[in-house]
């Protein structure tokens, strides 16, 4: 798009010369002979820059500048000053003029200054667009993701957030269940009310009950005062039942009642109290299995499972990893005053090939630790817990410059890691007896040896002294 400039000056010779100069340099240019005319033209069209004289009849340059600052704050203004009015030019800068130039103008200087202000504006605009796009595409609340499955979840959740529907969030530890619950709350009509977290696993049975529902004075030993429970406290807001799979059976019955009747009863109390809360529950347990074994009430399960959302583990959305790394570098950059700016390709490859049992939380901790221990501006290596990687090195996929894993590399990694895990598991269970393992795997021994070599597996770790393969 060709930038449009408005020249405002009562000096006809200057207007004509500048108009011609700027047109010659590819700009679209209009001219006004005074402040009033400029205001009218600004009101009618869109200008990328105003070039205004300071001393004019009627509305002078300063007044025009002030008007533009309030009416069109995005439009930059550059002042043209005659000799002897430098102090007014300085005043104009203080009032928000972008720059000033003295008359008679040096053409090159004028062109450079104009180009600078327009370039800067353009960059600001691009940055803003980019930021908006990132915000929209990669975020829901403070959850960062570019993964398609996650974005689908964001879309679904955005719709359900506004309603009062009960949401059940499932996912491994550290996948962002609590973050999602918060985002739902803060995207709902209840956002100005409380978001109450109840960690169901953290309390003993009696305490949990009185924590949830409150108690009357003297209802049990130690209940010296009346206590208002979290459900009552959260009235009008959202209750987040974290680790719902850890609620003991007899409390499940009471929870069911809250969900069904929308009322609670304090421990030791004798009348129901109505509560208006939205329920979001989360667990990393398999509730269906628990239901089958009788550890989780079926009726409660169906009450909670109105709108289930399953957060995929990090290893199933590795395309999020570079974005999350970037996010955590920024989030925790303050630990070293922002000195650490990037992650080396080698370190990124290590991150990409880890299996992330602790998911995003584990990644966040790894990055935090790396920021603290890095001396330069680049994280060269990361410390990953070996607990889950067994006795083999995971495959390091080659990444593209932008940090993506090409499809072929991804498949290679999946096959490599799966095979080596399988092999390690076999060796562990059969104490490194290669003959037996080969038979069970229905391959010959040579194949096993070749794979051990390929995967860097040390067979001696699985053998007891004196064993032979
Ligand atoms: N998509 C994400 N974007 C940014 N940060 C994330 C994301 N997912 C998780 N996190 C970070 O990881 C940490 C763990 O997230 P959260 O506590 O929500 O996980 P969780 O699923 O509730 O885990 P757990 O089951 O162990 O309680 C949070 O502190 C948050 O900073
Ligand atoms: Mg949690």
């Amino acid at each position: 798009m060709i930038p449009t400039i408005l020249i405002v000056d009562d000096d006809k010779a200057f207007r004509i010369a500048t108009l011609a100069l700027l047109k010659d340099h590819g700009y679209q240019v209009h001219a006004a002979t005074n402040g009033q005319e400029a205001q009218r033209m600004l009101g009618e069209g869109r200008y990328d820059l105003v070039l205004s004289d300071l001393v004019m009849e009627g509305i002078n340059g300063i007044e025009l500048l002030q008007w533009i600052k309030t009416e069109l704050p995005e439009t930059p203004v550059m002042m043209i000053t005659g000799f002897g009015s430098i102090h007014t030019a300085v005043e104009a800068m203080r009032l928000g003029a972008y720059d000033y130039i003295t008359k008679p103008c040096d053409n090159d200087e004028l062109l450079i200054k104009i180009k600078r202000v327009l370039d800067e504006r353009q960059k600001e605009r691009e940055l803003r667009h980019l930021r908006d796009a990132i915000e929209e595409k990669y975020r829901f609340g403070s959850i960062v993701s570019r993964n398609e499955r996650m974005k689908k979840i964001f879309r679904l959740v955005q719709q359900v957030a506004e309603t009062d529907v009960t949401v059940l969030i499932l996912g491994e530890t550290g996948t962002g269940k609590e973050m999602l619950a918060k985002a739902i709350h803060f995207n709902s009509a209840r956002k100005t009310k409380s978001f109450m977290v109840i960690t169901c696993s953290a309390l003993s049975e009696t305490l949990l009950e009185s924590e949830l529902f409150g108690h009357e004075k003297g209802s049990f030993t130690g209940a010296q005062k009346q206590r208002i429970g979290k459900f009552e406290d959260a009235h009008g807001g959202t209750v987040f039942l974290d680790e719902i799979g850890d609620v003991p059976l007899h409390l499940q019955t009471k929870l069911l009642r809250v969900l069904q009747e929308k009322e609670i009863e304090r421990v030791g109390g004798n009348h129901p109290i109505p509560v208006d809360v939205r329920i979001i529950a989360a667990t990393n347990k398999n509730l269906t299995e628990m239901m089958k074994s009788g550890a989780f009430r079926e009726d409660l399960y169906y009450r909670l499972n109105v709108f289930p959302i399953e957060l995929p583990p990090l290893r199933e959305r590795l395309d999020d990893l570079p974005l999350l790394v970037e996010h955590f570098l920024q989030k925790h950059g303050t630990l070293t005053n922002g000195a650490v700016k990037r992650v080396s390709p080698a370190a990124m490859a290590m991150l990409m090939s880890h299996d992330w049992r602790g998911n995003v939380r584990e990644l966040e901790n790894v990055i935090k630790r790396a920021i603290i221990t890095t001396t330069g501006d680049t994280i060269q290596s990361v410390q990953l817990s070996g607990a889950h990687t067994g006795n083999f090195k995971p495959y390091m996929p080659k990444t593209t410059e932008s940090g993506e894993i090409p499809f072929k590399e991804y498949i290679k990694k999946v096959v490599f890691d799966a095979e080596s895990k399988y092999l390690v598991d076999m060796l562990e269970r059969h104490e490194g007896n290669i003959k037996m393992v080969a038979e069970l795997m229905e391959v010959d021994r040579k194949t096993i040896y070749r794979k051990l070599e390929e995967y860097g597996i040390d067979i001696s770790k699985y053998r007891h002294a004196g064993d032979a393969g």
Side-chain angles (χ1 to χ4, degrees), residues 92-149:
M93 295 290 284
R94 198 183 59 77
L95 290 171
Y98 182 83
D99 205 346
Y100 69 91
I101 188 158
T102 44
K103 255 203 277 195
C105 306
D106 176 67
N107 283 354
D108 288 339
E109 191 190 348
L110 180 65
L111 288 168
I112 287 171
K113 286 193 167 180
I114 286 176
K115 187 167 160 20
R116 195 194 304 146
V117 56
L118 291 174
D119 282 354
E120 217 160 279
R121 282 286 140 153
Q122 180 60 22
K123 256 187 230 136
E124 267 170 34
R125 224 178 346 244
E126 278 167 14
L127 213 70
R128 197 164 47 227
H129 284 165
L130 201 71
R131 237 187 336 249
D132 289 353
I134 289 177
E135 292 276 301
E136 195 177 321
K137 260 209 194 116
Y138 299 151
R139 275 181 179 278
F140 180 68
S142 19
I143 310 169
V144 178
S145 181
R146 52 175 293 176
N147 174 267
E148 281 309 323
R149 262 169 85 189

